[in-house]
Every structure is written in C-alpha cells, then in structure tokens.
C-alpha cells in the first residue's frame, strides 16, 4: 500500500508540475498579447492623427498628398484588422454558435482582399492572382472574409522589398482551394503546427520585426474548422511559405 501511495503521489506531483508550466506559459503569452495589442492600437491611431494634422496644416504637392492618404489607409487597415481579430477570437474561444450559413461566393471576396493589399503595397511587392470565378461555399461571410483577409495580409507583410505574393482560388473535386504563397523567410518545420495556436508568433526574426498579436492564423484555423475545412502550410520553393485552405463547396441540393 505504501508503494502504491508513493507512485500515486509521484504521478500527482508530475501532473501538477506540467499543469503549472502550461498555466505559466499561457499567462506569459497572454501578457505578451496584451502588450502587443496596446501597442498596436496606439500606433495606428497616433500615425493617422499625425497624417491628418499634416494634411490639414501644410501646403503640399498632389504626390505628397496621395502618399499621406495611402499611408493613412494602410494604418487604418491595420487597425480594422486588429479590432476585427480581437472580436472574432473572443467569439471563437467562447465557442459561440456559428451565424447563419449562406451560399457565399469566395471569388469576389478573395479578389477584393487581394486587390486592396496589392494597391496598398504596390511600391513594395508584386502581387499576382489566379482566381476562378463563382466558387461558392456554404459559410458565414464574416468568418470567410477574415480567412481571406488574414491569409493575404500575412503573405504580403513578410517578403523583402520587391518580393512576390501569389494568390489563387480553384476547384478541386468537391472543395474550394485557396492558395497564398510568398517568398519571405519561410517557417521552420518545428513551428508549422504551432503557428495556428492562439497568441503564438514565430521565432523567426523577420516575423518578429513585424507587428502582430498571434491571433490571425488561430482565427483562420478555427474558422475553417467551423466550416468543415482545414488549413496547411508548406515551404514555397525556393524560398518562403505557401498556405493552402480547403473548404467544402456549397451543396444546392441540401437547401
């Protein structure tokens, strides 16, 4: 009996230690997330305010004005993405039921996000796309738009100046397949699964130099699971990453 008691005590001790480590790790990630969110909220607000004040107080050329407006739009885009991600992540974490599923055409949704980012980064990146028209799935438009937004935004942030991003959408059997590739630094094999967990940010220094909260890919993976889809990441040859999302097509006969 004494031996059994010692074994149980040892198992309990090890379990308690593992639980404590996990809780400390999660608490640390949450603190990092709060600091990142605070910084990311303040930075675009301050930047947009300064740009608007400059536009209002100075005479400038049309080219200078266009650049300021473009920069302000870029910062506003960041702010929109951040606030949207926080709300979506909270909803997904709480396990709230999916909203109403509707017949949703992914093609204009993905094309819209691709065009928007291509315009914002036109002097820094080359963006190409091959988007098949009328690719229709059953889904919640808000979540699907977040998937498109995040995949394109992530791909366009990390390549070096003059880098390339490719966006594609096509049919593959009974699935819609979104493929987004970049020629950035890539993702180490040991991190390819972890990047889809909440708050996680790659240890890659090129990723660290860019602002982020570690919510985007968590939202992508969670949203796709709700739609019975999945997301994968692989190496883009010769350099970079390729994200591939699969979603079942809309079944008109089930309506």
């Amino acid at each position: 009996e004494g031996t059994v008691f010692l074994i149980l005590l040892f198992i309990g001790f090890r379990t308690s230690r593992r639980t404590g480590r996990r809780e400390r790790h999660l608490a640390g990630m949450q603190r990092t997330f709060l600091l990142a969110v605070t910084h990311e909220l303040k930075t675009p607000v301050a930047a947009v305010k300064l740009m608007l004040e400059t536009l209002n107080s100075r005479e400038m050329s049309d080219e200078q004005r266009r650049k300021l407006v473009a920069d302000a739009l870029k910062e506003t885009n960041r702010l929109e993405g951040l606030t949207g991600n926080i709300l979506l992540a909270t909803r997904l974490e709480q396990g709230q039921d999916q909203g109403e599923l509707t017949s949703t055409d992914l093609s204009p949704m993905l094309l819209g996000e691709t065009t928007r980012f291509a315009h914002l980064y036109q002097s820094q990146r080359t963006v190409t796309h091959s988007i098949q028209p009328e690719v229709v799935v059953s889904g919640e438009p808000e979540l699907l738009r977040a998937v498109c937004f995040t995949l394109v935004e992530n791909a366009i942030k990390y390549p070096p100046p003059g880098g390339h991003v490719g966006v594609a959408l096509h049919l593959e059997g009974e699935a819609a397949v979104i493929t987004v590739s970049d020629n950035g630094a890539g993702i180490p094999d040991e991190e390819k699964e972890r990047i889809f967990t909440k708050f996680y940010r790659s240890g890659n220094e090129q990723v660290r130099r860019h602002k982020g909260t570690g919510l985007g890919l968590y939202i992508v993976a969670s949203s796709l699971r709700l739609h019975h889809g999945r997301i994968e990441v692989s190496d883009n040859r010769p350099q970079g990453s390729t994200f591939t999302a699969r979603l079942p097509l809309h079944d008109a006969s089930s309506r």
Side-chain angles (χ1 to χ4, degrees):
E1 291 182 0
T3 302
V4 172
F5 174 76
L6 288 174
I7 291 172
L8 291 175
L9 185 62
F10 177 71
I11 292 173
F13 176 71
R14 290 196 60 183
T15 302
S16 177
R17 284 191 63 188
R18 284 198 299 267
T19 301
R21 281 198 300 267
R22 283 198 300 268
E23 289 178 350
R24 288 192 297 272
H25 178 65
L26 180 58
M29 293 177 72
Q30 288 173 333
R31 284 194 297 271
T32 302
F33 165 73
L34 289 173
L35 290 172
V37 167
T38 301
H39 178 73
E40 289 231 348
L41 283 171
K42 290 175 64 176
T43 301
V45 170
V48 171
K49 180 182 178 182
L50 177 61
M51 292 170 193
L52 290 175
E53 289 173 345
T54 303
L55 283 168
N56 189 51
S57 63
R58 289 180 52 189
E59 293 293 331
M60 59 186 64
S61 66
D62 288 344
E63 182 180 351
Q64 290 173 320
R65 189 178 299 276
R66 281 194 297 269
K67 185 180 186 306
L68 273 177
V69 170
D71 288 343
L73 285 172
K74 190 181 296 185
E75 294 297 331
T76 304
N77 193 67
R78 276 181 52 203
L79 187 58
E80 177 189 24
L82 174 63
T83 54
N85 278 354
I86 292 172
L87 292 172
L88 276 179
T90 301
R91 173 182 159 192
L92 291 167
E93 185 180 28
Q94 291 176 348
Q96 295 179 13
D97 292 336
Q98 222 175 354
E100 181 181 358
L101 298 183
T102 60
S103 173
T104 304
D105 190 345
L106 277 179
S107 302
M109 188 177 287
L110 183 60
L111 179 60
E113 297 299 336
T114 302
T115 303
R116 171 161 63 151
F117 281 106
H119 176 71
L120 289 173
Y121 288 83
Q122 59 185 333
S123 63
Q124 305 166 45
R125 308 283 189 271
T126 300
V127 181
T128 59
H129 61 79
S130 175
I131 297 177
Q132 185 172 333
E134 298 181 0
V135 176
V136 181
V137 299
S138 292
E140 185 180 348
E142 181 187 7
L143 294 180
L144 294 177
R145 189 173 300 280
V147 169
C148 295
F149 174 94
T150 301
L151 289 177
V152 178
E153 183 197 35
N154 271 5
I156 211 164
K157 280 197 304 187
Y158 298 120
H164 175 260
V165 172
V167 180
L169 172 63
H170 66 276
L171 298 177
E172 191 176 287
E174 295 300 314
V177 181
I178 300 172
T179 305
V180 183
S181 300
D182 66 73
N183 65 341
I187 300 169
D189 288 341
E190 63 271 18
E191 296 190 9
K192 283 186 169 66
E193 291 298 325
R194 299 168 68 188
I195 59 173
F196 298 108
T197 59
K198 188 171 60 173
F199 304 141
Y200 185 80
R201 299 201 72 214
S202 172
N204 186 303
E205 184 57 30
Q206 180 145 349
V207 174
R208 290 288 182 184
R209 286 200 301 266
H210 290 77
K211 299 176 179 65
T213 60
L215 288 179
L217 291 175
Y218 163 77
I219 289 171
V220 168
S222 299
S223 298
L224 289 172
R225 280 196 297 270
L226 284 175
H227 289 83
H228 307 290
R230 67 183 189 276
I231 179 78
E232 301 167 345
V233 61
S234 58
D235 294 332
N236 184 29
R237 304 296 181 185
Q239 179 178 314
S241 301
T242 296
F243 286 84
T244 304
R246 289 180 169 81
L247 284 161
L249 295 175
H250 173 65
D251 184 1
S253 64
S254 64
R255 298 181 62 184

